[in-house]
Amino acid sequence: MNQQKPEIEVLKSKAGTYPSNFQRYVDEVKEDDLKTAFKNQMPAAEIFLQSISEELSKRKYAEGKWTIKEILQHIIDAERIFGYRALCFARKEKHTLPSFDENEYSVNSNANDRAWAELIEEFSAIRKTTEYLYNSFSSQAINVTGKAGDYTMGVSTLGFVIVGHLNHHIRIIQERYIGV
């Protein structure tokens, strides 16, 4: 007989420890429940990303700024890193995880050499695995904290950061790159 794991409610209002510079991402999530936030975000995000042409994806809004392709690659990289951190913390990793320099990652990403459609497909795949990861966590694991760089952060909070980080960058693309 197939046993269903009970649903775990992960509420933003109960999100644990995180540094103040991540508050802006948590604030970008309008839903209070993480599972609902993941579920609600993807259809609109995919439609928005698919509305951007290959040509537009190469746009920078100012010298020295990232292209839209580089932003999406950054979102992919950050989601992988935040998901890995959540996994490590949930499994009670004792070592401090390394921080990452988003600008150095961008310089070395080769995002502008990739097809826009491929980046969207990769993002969708990464998000699906992130959702599977969060669905696998027990109520104990979702409440664990761990250390990355010089800060402590909770597994549940990382989920809200992942959702909010995407919302933040979609808003930036809309406001600064395409003027929506």
Side-chain angles (χ1 to χ4, degrees), residues 69 72-73 76 111 114-123:
K69 281 185 178 185
L72 185 53
Q73 184 65 66
I76 292 166
R114 298 183 63 196
W116 178 243
E118 180 184 308
L119 284 165
I120 295 169
E121 188 176 328
E122 182 179 357
F123 168 68

Side-chain angles (χ1 to χ4, degrees), residues 44-60 66-73 75 112 114-121 123 166 169-180:
E46 287 177 321
I47 289 168
F48 172 71
L49 293 171
Q50 290 168 357
S51 75
I52 296 171
S53 68
E54 180 69 31
E55 190 60 35
L56 181 58
S57 73
K58 299 172 188 174
R59 181 182 290 172
K60 292 181 179 188
W66 291 346
T67 64
I68 296 174
K69 281 185 178 185
E70 289 170 323
I71 292 172
L72 185 53
Q73 184 65 66
I75 292 165
N112 292 319
R114 298 183 63 196
W116 178 243
E118 180 184 308
L119 284 165
I120 295 169
E121 188 176 328
F123 168 68
L166 176 60
H169 283 293
I170 285 175
R171 186 175 48 74
I172 295 296
I173 292 168
Q174 290 171 329
E175 291 172 1
R176 298 181 188 170
Y177 289 79
I178 57 179
V180 173

Side-chain angles (χ1 to χ4, degrees), residues 52-152:
I52 296 171
S53 68
E54 180 69 31
E55 190 60 35
L56 181 58
S57 73
K58 299 172 188 174
R59 181 182 290 172
K60 292 181 179 188
Y61 73 88
E63 187 61 38
K65 296 298 181 181
W66 291 346
T67 64
I68 296 174
K69 281 185 178 185
E70 289 170 323
I71 292 172
L72 185 53
Q73 184 65 66
H74 163 70
I75 292 165
I76 292 166
D77 290 349
E79 186 150 335
R80 276 192 170 112
I81 291 165
F82 294 149
Y84 175 71
R85 288 176 180 174
L87 171 67
C88 290
F89 299 167
R91 303 295 193 258
K92 302 194 180 190
E93 174 63 57
K94 301 293 184 231
H95 294 92
T96 300
L97 301 178
S99 57
F100 78 105
D101 180 337
E102 64 189 36
N103 292 309
E104 194 64 29
Y105 274 54
S106 179
V107 166
N108 293 294
S109 73
N110 299 314
N112 292 319
D113 296 334
R114 298 183 63 196
W116 178 243
E118 180 184 308
L119 284 165
I120 295 169
E121 188 176 328
E122 182 179 357
F123 168 68
S124 296
I126 293 302
R127 174 50 64 89
K128 192 70 169 162
T129 64
T130 299
E131 289 184 52
Y132 282 131
L133 177 65
Y134 270 85
N135 287 336
S136 78
F137 291 148
S138 68
S139 58
Q140 291 81 21
I142 203 75
N143 292 305
V144 171
T145 61
K147 196 158 170 61
D150 59 357
Y151 64 84
T152 300

